[in-house]
Coordinates of all heavy atoms in Angstrom, one line a residue:
A317 N -15.1 -7.7 7.9 CA -14.6 -7.6 9.2 C -14.0 -6.2 9.6 O -13.9 -5.9 10.7 CB -13.5 -8.7 9.4
L318 N -13.8 -5.4 8.5 CA -13.2 -4.1 8.8 C -14.3 -3.0 8.9 O -14.0 -1.9 9.4 CB -12.3 -3.7 7.6 CG -11.1 -4.6 7.4 CD1 -10.3 -4.2 6.1 CD2 -10.1 -4.5 8.6
Y319 N -15.5 -3.3 8.5 CA -16.6 -2.3 8.5 C -16.7 -1.5 9.8 O -16.8 -0.3 9.8 CB -17.9 -2.9 8.1 CG -18.0 -3.3 6.6 CD1 -19.2 -3.9 6.2 CD2 -17.0 -3.1 5.7 CE1 -19.3 -4.4 4.9 CE2 -17.1 -3.6 4.4 CZ -18.3 -4.2 4.0 OH -18.4 -4.6 2.7
D320 N -16.8 -2.3 10.9 CA -17.1 -1.7 12.2 C -15.8 -1.1 12.8 O -15.9 -0.4 13.9 CB -17.7 -2.7 13.2 CG -19.1 -3.0 12.8 OD1 -19.8 -2.1 12.2 OD2 -19.6 -4.1 13.1
I321 N -14.7 -1.3 12.2 CA -13.4 -0.7 12.8 C -12.7 0.2 11.9 O -11.5 0.5 12.0 CB -12.5 -1.9 13.3 CG1 -12.2 -2.9 12.2 CG2 -13.1 -2.5 14.6 CD1 -11.1 -4.0 12.6
L322 N -13.4 0.7 10.9 CA -12.8 1.6 9.9 C -12.0 2.8 10.5 O -11.0 3.1 10.1 CB -13.8 2.2 8.9 CG -14.4 1.3 7.8 CD1 -15.3 2.2 6.9 CD2 -13.3 0.7 7.0
D323 N -12.6 3.3 11.6 CA -12.0 4.5 12.2 C -10.7 4.2 12.9 O -10.0 5.1 13.2 CB -13.0 5.0 13.3 CG -14.1 5.8 12.7 OD1 -14.0 6.1 11.5 OD2 -15.1 6.1 13.4
E324 N -10.4 2.9 13.1 CA -9.1 2.6 13.7 C -7.9 2.7 12.7 O -6.8 2.6 13.1 CB -9.2 1.2 14.3 CG -10.2 0.9 15.3 CD -9.9 1.6 16.6 OE1 -8.8 2.0 16.8 OE2 -10.9 1.7 17.5
F325 N -8.3 2.9 11.4 CA -7.2 2.9 10.4 C -7.2 4.1 9.6 O -8.2 4.8 9.4 CB -7.4 1.6 9.5 CG -7.4 0.3 10.2 CD1 -8.6 -0.3 10.5 CD2 -6.2 -0.2 10.7 CE1 -8.6 -1.5 11.2 CE2 -6.2 -1.4 11.4 CZ -7.4 -2.0 11.7
D326 N -6.0 4.5 9.1 CA -5.9 5.6 8.2 C -5.9 5.1 6.7 O -6.1 5.9 5.8 CB -4.5 6.3 8.5 CG -4.5 6.8 9.9 OD1 -5.3 7.7 10.2 OD2 -3.7 6.3 10.7
Q327 N -5.7 3.8 6.5 CA -5.6 3.3 5.2 C -6.0 1.8 5.2 O -5.6 1.1 6.1 CB -4.1 3.4 4.7 CG -3.8 2.7 3.4 CD -2.4 3.1 2.9 OE1 -2.2 4.3 2.5 NE2 -1.4 2.2 3.0
I328 N -6.7 1.4 4.2 CA -7.0 0.0 3.9 C -6.5 -0.4 2.6 O -6.7 0.3 1.6 CB -8.5 -0.3 4.0 CG1 -9.0 0.0 5.4 CG2 -8.9 -1.7 3.6 CD1 -10.5 -0.1 5.6
L329 N -5.7 -1.4 2.6 CA -5.0 -1.9 1.3 C -5.8 -3.1 0.9 O -5.7 -4.2 1.5 CB -3.5 -2.2 1.6 CG -2.8 -3.0 0.5 CD1 -3.0 -2.4 -0.8 CD2 -1.3 -3.0 0.9
V330 N -6.4 -3.0 -0.3 CA -7.1 -4.1 -0.9 C -6.1 -4.7 -1.9 O -5.8 -4.0 -3.0 CB -8.4 -3.7 -1.6 CG1 -9.0 -4.8 -2.4 CG2 -9.4 -3.2 -0.6
M331 N -5.5 -5.8 -1.7 CA -4.5 -6.4 -2.6 C -5.2 -6.9 -3.9 O -6.3 -7.5 -3.8 CB -3.9 -7.6 -1.9 CG -2.9 -7.3 -0.8 SD -1.5 -6.3 -1.3 CE -0.7 -7.2 -2.6
T332 N -4.6 -6.5 -5.0 CA -5.2 -6.8 -6.3 C -4.4 -7.9 -7.0 O -4.6 -8.2 -8.2 CB -5.4 -5.5 -7.1 OG1 -4.2 -4.7 -7.0 CG2 -6.5 -4.7 -6.6
V333 N -3.5 -8.5 -6.2 CA -2.8 -9.7 -6.6 C -2.5 -10.5 -5.3 O -2.7 -9.9 -4.2 CB -1.4 -9.5 -7.3 CG1 -1.5 -8.7 -8.6 CG2 -0.4 -8.8 -6.4
E334 N -2.1 -11.8 -5.4 CA -1.6 -12.5 -4.2 C -0.3 -11.8 -3.9 O 0.6 -11.7 -4.7 CB -1.5 -14.0 -4.5 CG -2.7 -14.7 -4.7 CD -3.6 -14.8 -3.5 OE1 -3.2 -14.5 -2.3 OE2 -4.9 -15.0 -3.6
P335 N -0.2 -11.4 -2.6 CA 1.1 -10.8 -2.2 C 2.3 -11.7 -2.3 O 2.2 -12.9 -2.2 CB 0.9 -10.4 -0.7 CG -0.3 -11.2 -0.3 CD -1.1 -11.5 -1.5
G336 N 3.4 -11.1 -2.7 CA 4.7 -11.9 -2.7 C 5.6 -11.5 -3.9 O 6.8 -11.5 -3.7
F337 N 5.0 -11.1 -5.0 CA 5.8 -10.8 -6.2 C 5.3 -9.6 -7.0 O 4.1 -9.4 -7.0 CB 5.9 -12.0 -7.1 CG 6.5 -13.2 -6.4 CD1 5.7 -14.1 -5.7 CD2 7.9 -13.4 -6.3 CE1 6.2 -15.2 -5.0 CE2 8.4 -14.5 -5.7 CZ 7.6 -15.4 -5.0
G338 N 6.2 -8.9 -7.6 CA 5.8 -7.8 -8.5 C 5.5 -8.4 -9.9 O 5.8 -9.6 -10.1
G339 N 5.0 -7.6 -10.8 CA 4.8 -8.0 -12.1 C 3.7 -9.0 -12.4 O 3.6 -9.6 -13.5
Q340 N 2.7 -9.2 -11.5 CA 1.6 -10.1 -11.7 C 0.4 -9.4 -12.3 O 0.4 -8.2 -12.3 CB 1.2 -10.7 -10.3 CG 2.2 -11.5 -9.6 CD 1.7 -12.1 -8.3 OE1 1.0 -13.1 -8.3 NE2 1.9 -11.5 -7.2
G341 N -0.5 -10.2 -12.8 CA -1.7 -9.6 -13.4 C -2.7 -9.1 -12.4 O -3.0 -9.8 -11.4
F342 N -3.3 -8.0 -12.6 CA -4.4 -7.4 -11.8 C -5.6 -8.3 -11.7 O -6.0 -8.9 -12.7 CB -4.8 -6.0 -12.5 CG -5.9 -5.3 -11.9 CD1 -5.8 -4.5 -10.7 CD2 -7.2 -5.4 -12.4 CE1 -6.8 -3.8 -10.2 CE2 -8.3 -4.7 -11.9 CZ -8.1 -3.9 -10.8
M343 N -6.2 -8.5 -10.5 CA -7.3 -9.4 -10.3 C -8.6 -8.5 -10.2 O -8.9 -8.0 -9.2 CB -7.1 -10.2 -9.1 CG -6.0 -11.2 -9.1 SD -5.6 -12.0 -7.6 CE -7.0 -12.9 -7.3
P344 N -9.4 -8.4 -11.3 CA -10.6 -7.6 -11.3 C -11.6 -8.1 -10.3 O -12.5 -7.3 -9.9 CB -11.1 -7.6 -12.8 CG -10.4 -8.7 -13.4 CD -9.1 -9.0 -12.7
E345 N -11.6 -9.4 -10.0 CA -12.6 -9.9 -9.0 C -12.5 -9.3 -7.6 O -13.3 -9.5 -6.8 CB -12.5 -11.4 -9.0 CG -11.1 -12.0 -8.6 CD -10.2 -12.3 -9.8 OE1 -10.1 -11.5 -10.7 OE2 -9.4 -13.3 -9.7
T346 N -11.4 -8.5 -7.4 CA -11.3 -7.9 -6.1 C -12.1 -6.5 -6.0 O -12.2 -5.9 -5.0 CB -9.8 -7.6 -5.7 OG1 -9.3 -6.8 -6.8 CG2 -9.0 -8.9 -5.6
M347 N -12.6 -6.1 -7.2 CA -13.2 -4.8 -7.3 C -14.5 -4.6 -6.5 O -14.8 -3.6 -5.9 CB -13.4 -4.3 -8.7 CG -12.1 -4.0 -9.4 SD -11.1 -2.7 -8.7 CE -10.0 -3.5 -7.6
P348 N -15.4 -5.7 -6.5 CA -16.6 -5.5 -5.7 C -16.3 -5.3 -4.2 O -17.0 -4.5 -3.5 CB -17.3 -6.9 -5.9 CG -16.8 -7.4 -7.2 CD -15.4 -6.9 -7.3
K349 N -15.3 -5.9 -3.7 CA -14.9 -5.7 -2.3 C -14.4 -4.3 -2.0 O -14.8 -3.7 -1.0 CB -13.8 -6.7 -2.0 CG -13.2 -6.7 -0.6 CD -12.3 -7.9 -0.3 CE -11.0 -7.9 -1.0 NZ -10.2 -9.1 -0.8
L350 N -13.7 -3.8 -3.0 CA -13.2 -2.4 -2.9 C -14.4 -1.4 -2.9 O -14.5 -0.5 -2.1 CB -12.2 -2.1 -4.0 CG -11.7 -0.6 -4.2 CD1 -11.0 -0.2 -3.0 CD2 -10.9 -0.6 -5.5
R351 N -15.3 -1.7 -3.8 CA -16.5 -0.8 -4.0 C -17.3 -0.8 -2.7 O -17.8 0.2 -2.2 CB -17.3 -1.4 -5.1 CG -18.1 -0.4 -5.9 CD -18.9 -1.1 -7.1 NE -18.0 -1.4 -8.2 CZ -17.7 -0.4 -9.1 NH1 -18.2 0.8 -9.0 NH2 -16.9 -0.7 -10.1
A352 N -17.4 -2.0 -2.1 CA -18.2 -2.1 -0.8 C -17.5 -1.4 0.3 O -18.2 -0.7 1.1 CB -18.4 -3.6 -0.5
L353 N -16.2 -1.4 0.4 CA -15.5 -0.7 1.4 C -15.6 0.8 1.2 O -15.8 1.6 2.1 CB -14.0 -1.1 1.4 CG -13.7 -2.4 2.1 CD1 -12.3 -2.9 1.7 CD2 -13.7 -2.2 3.6
R354 N -15.6 1.3 -0.1 CA -15.8 2.7 -0.4 C -17.2 3.1 0.1 O -17.4 4.2 0.7 CB -15.6 3.0 -1.9 CG -16.0 4.3 -2.4 CD -15.4 5.5 -1.6 NE -13.9 5.6 -1.9 CZ -13.1 6.1 -1.0 NH1 -13.5 6.6 0.1 NH2 -11.8 6.2 -1.3
E355 N -18.2 2.3 -0.2 CA -19.6 2.6 0.2 C -19.7 2.7 1.8 O -20.3 3.6 2.3 CB -20.5 1.6 -0.3 CG -22.0 1.6 0.1 CD -22.6 3.0 -0.3 OE1 -22.1 3.7 -1.1 OE2 -23.6 3.3 0.4
Q356 N -19.1 1.8 2.5 CA -19.1 1.8 4.0 C -18.4 3.1 4.5 O -18.9 3.7 5.4 CB -18.3 0.6 4.5 CG -19.1 -0.7 4.4 CD -20.4 -0.7 5.2 OE1 -20.4 -0.2 6.4 NE2 -21.4 -1.3 4.7
A357 N -17.3 3.4 3.9 CA -16.5 4.6 4.3 C -17.4 5.9 4.1 O -17.5 6.7 5.0 CB -15.2 4.8 3.6
R358 N -18.1 5.9 3.0 CA -19.0 7.0 2.7 C -20.1 7.1 3.7 O -20.4 8.2 4.3 CB -19.5 6.9 1.2 CG -20.2 8.1 0.6 CD -21.0 7.9 -0.6 NE -22.0 6.9 -0.4 CZ -23.2 7.1 0.2 NH1 -23.5 8.3 0.7 NH2 -24.1 6.1 0.4
R359 N -20.7 6.0 3.9 CA -21.9 5.9 4.9 C -21.5 6.4 6.3 O -22.3 7.0 7.0 CB -22.4 4.5 4.9 CG -23.7 4.3 4.2 CD -24.3 3.0 4.6 NE -24.4 2.2 3.4 CZ -24.7 0.9 3.3 NH1 -24.9 0.2 4.5 NH2 -24.8 0.3 2.2
R360 N -20.3 6.0 6.7 CA -19.8 6.2 8.0 C -19.1 7.6 8.2 O -18.6 7.9 9.2 CB -19.0 5.1 8.5 CG -19.8 3.8 8.7 CD -18.9 2.5 8.7 NE -19.6 1.3 8.5 CZ -19.9 0.5 9.5 NH1 -19.5 0.7 10.7 NH2 -20.6 -0.6 9.3

Side-chain angles (χ1 to χ4, degrees):
L318 297 173
Y319 290 176
D320 286 333
I321 52 172
L322 282 186
D323 282 348
E324 301 287 348
F325 302 101
D326 299 295
Q327 169 170 292
I328 292 173
L329 166 51
V330 173
M331 288 301 300
T332 44
V333 297
E334 289 298 340
F337 299 92
Q340 303 183 78
F342 176 81
M343 295 170 66
E345 58 270 38
T346 57
M347 291 297 96
K349 177 167 75 181
L350 174 61
R351 210 176 280 282
L353 280 160
R354 170 54 69 204
E355 175 58 19
Q356 285 295 322
R358 195 193 56 77
R359 252 191 243 169
R360 293 163 194 255

